[in-house]
Amino acid sequence: MIKAVVFDAYGTLYDVHSIVRKCEKIYPGKGYQISQVWRQKQLEYSWLRSLMDRYQDFWSLTGDALSYALDELNLQYSKGTIEDILNEYLYLDLYPEVVESLQAFRPWKLSILSNGSPKMLKELAANTNLDKHMDAIISVDSLKTYKPKANVYNLAVENLGVNKNEILFVSSNGWDVAGSKSFGFTVGWINRLNKPVERLGIEPNYIVSNLAELANKVKNK
Amino acid sequence: MIKAVVFDAYGTLYDVHSIVRKCEKIYPGKGYQISQVWRQKQLEYSWLRSLMDRYQDFWSLTGDALSYALDELNLQYSKGTIEDILNEYLYLDLYPEVVESLQAFRPWKLSILSNGSPKMLKELAANTNLDKHMDAIISVDSLKTYKPKANVYNLAVENLGVNKNEILFVSSNGWDVAGSKSFGFTVGWINRLNKPVERLGIEPNYIVSNLAELANKVKNK
């Protein structure tokens, strides 16, 4: 029944907290805290801008979230500092099991559906050689809104030419899991941080700790 | 030009963290942490459910956010524990300057516009005698969605019979400040926690540390 697998990018394939290294170089001892506030604000801004109909692309939004984080932590910065740190989003670390696990999901079509802007997704995938493994890299940008709006998930249906009940959607983000399941996908939650299921009235089909485990479970079902 | 003042309730007039006392009795040493996670999840769930078109009233949503918080902190609870703690939402503390400051906003019409369900707002206002000071208490519930959706703010316009540019909206929540300003209100941010302005592309008309200061600034303008 599954014909295509659609992956979230940030947090699922890529470790957004790999930017801690860069932050530590500039602000010793503060890298972890910056990363936590930055990621939280990045998500909040994507939700709030969607609700307010004030879309801004994910690159600028992520830069604004970083500025907020540095302000909140009372850290000094210039425009150059923001650009320098933000640039790390083009070189995030893949989680260690990703490349090998992707093979296990073949022969299904593989793609990414992400909040990232087309340019930042394209560069990140190229810099990490992930582009060679993907049949499509889909950005929300054409709709000028963000996950978990239903029309965003429908972009995968349109791009891949399969029905929504033929798509396995994979995310490590609990709210993305809820949104994609609510839309109608079969959903696997990569619960990398060992968190409770978000109480949003809907639960994933699979709960696993990494991609390899998911491939195994889905194939042996 | 101002004809009515519309207040957010939770965090602005009422201290949502006054529930720490109750939590401390049940989970000694954990009250602050519970309150932080609980509030964060409550906000996230309101945004996410609006984006997913899966409205649930604020009483149930707040209970779910509490369950999540206790799960995340690995604390044991029964259905009774949830009800017991949740009930504190009907007896939240008013911030100390509120009642006196409301007088300073007269003779303008005064009202509340809140995510809270009609029942929880009515009981909270009655239990704290705030109902005597308000011309209207408006809940988002009739629209089955939450702030910062624009149509929610329009409820105040409809209920009060004044134009949106004649309303001063008052909130301590940075995202609510952005949403209400984006809608078209004149906005005062009660920056109770001394945070940076949220980077959502829009800024409040007034930034103050409490309601008394706002009344003073607006009247002397």
Side-chain angles (χ1 to χ4, degrees), chain B residues 127-213:
Chain B
N127 291 337
T128 54
N129 283 314
L130 209 69
D131 49 357
K132 291 170 189 60
H133 298 275
M134 292 291 163
D135 299 299
I137 296 178
I138 307 162
S139 163
V140 304
D141 190 68
S142 61
L143 294 178
K144 308 298 177 206
T145 194
Y146 288 110
K147 298 175 183 178
K149 288 281 281 280
N151 56 344
V152 167
Y153 298 108
N154 199 50
L155 282 175
V157 174
E158 290 169 6
N159 268 271
L160 301 171
V162 297
N163 296 323
K164 64 181 170 183
N165 61 7
E166 296 169 330
I167 288 179
L168 171 68
F169 187 84
V170 183
S171 181
S172 68
N173 295 295
W175 56 272
D176 190 21
V177 163
S180 58
K181 184 75 195 296
S182 181
F183 171 70
F185 291 150
T186 296
V187 178
W189 180 29
I190 313 297
N191 187 8
R192 296 194 183 277
L193 304 174
N194 197 23
K195 295 274 187 177
V197 176
E198 295 288 352
R199 292 187 175 255
L200 289 163
I202 193 157
E203 303 210 353
N205 302 82
Y206 302 95
I207 303 180
V208 296
S209 56
N210 60 53
L211 290 176
E213 196 186 330

Side-chain angles (χ1 to χ4, degrees), chain A residues 40-41 44-52 54 56 63-65 67-68 71-73 77 145-150 175 178-180 182 195-202, chain B residues 40-41 44-52 54 56 63-65 67-68 71-73 77 145-150 175 178-180 182 195-202:
Chain A
Q40 180 63 35
K41 282 292 150 187
E44 289 186 8
Y45 289 177
S46 70
W47 302 328
L48 291 166
R49 282 185 171 271
S50 296
L51 288 166
M52 295 192 291
R54 295 179 72 89
Q56 178 194 35
D64 280 354
S67 298
Y68 180 93
D71 283 339
E72 183 172 301
L73 299 170
Y77 59 93
T145 193
Y146 288 110
K147 298 177 183 178
K149 288 279 284 276
W175 56 272
S180 58
S182 181
K195 295 273 187 178
V197 176
E198 296 287 353
R199 291 186 176 256
L200 289 164
I202 194 157
Chain B
Q40 180 63 36
K41 281 291 150 186
E44 289 186 7
Y45 288 178
S46 70
W47 301 328
L48 291 166
R49 282 185 171 272
S50 296
L51 288 166
M52 294 191 292
R54 294 179 72 91
Q56 179 194 35
D64 280 354
S67 299
Y68 180 93
D71 282 340
E72 183 172 300
L73 299 170
Y77 60 92
T145 194
Y146 288 110
K147 298 175 183 178
K149 288 281 281 280
W175 56 272
S180 58
S182 181
K195 295 274 187 177
V197 176
E198 295 288 352
R199 292 187 175 255
L200 289 163
I202 193 157

Side-chain angles (χ1 to χ4, degrees), chain B residues 2 34 38 40 53 64 70 74 76-78 83 100 109 115-116 122 126-127 129 145 163-164 184 186 195 206:
Chain B
I2 299 296
I34 294 169
W38 184 8
Q40 180 63 36
D53 287 322
D64 280 354
L70 297 176
N74 287 311
Q76 302 296 310
Y77 60 92
S78 67
E83 283 166 11
E100 199 178 317
K109 279 189 187 178
N115 276 344
K122 191 179 170 187
N127 291 337
N129 283 314
T145 194
N163 296 323
K164 64 181 170 183
T186 296
K195 295 274 187 177
Y206 302 95

Side-chain angles (χ1 to χ4, degrees), chain B residues 5-21:
Chain B
V5 188
V6 178
F7 299 90
D8 168 57
Y10 304 117
T12 302
L13 302 175
Y14 293 97
D15 182 359
V16 294
H17 298 293
S18 50
I19 55 88
V20 168
R21 287 192 303 269

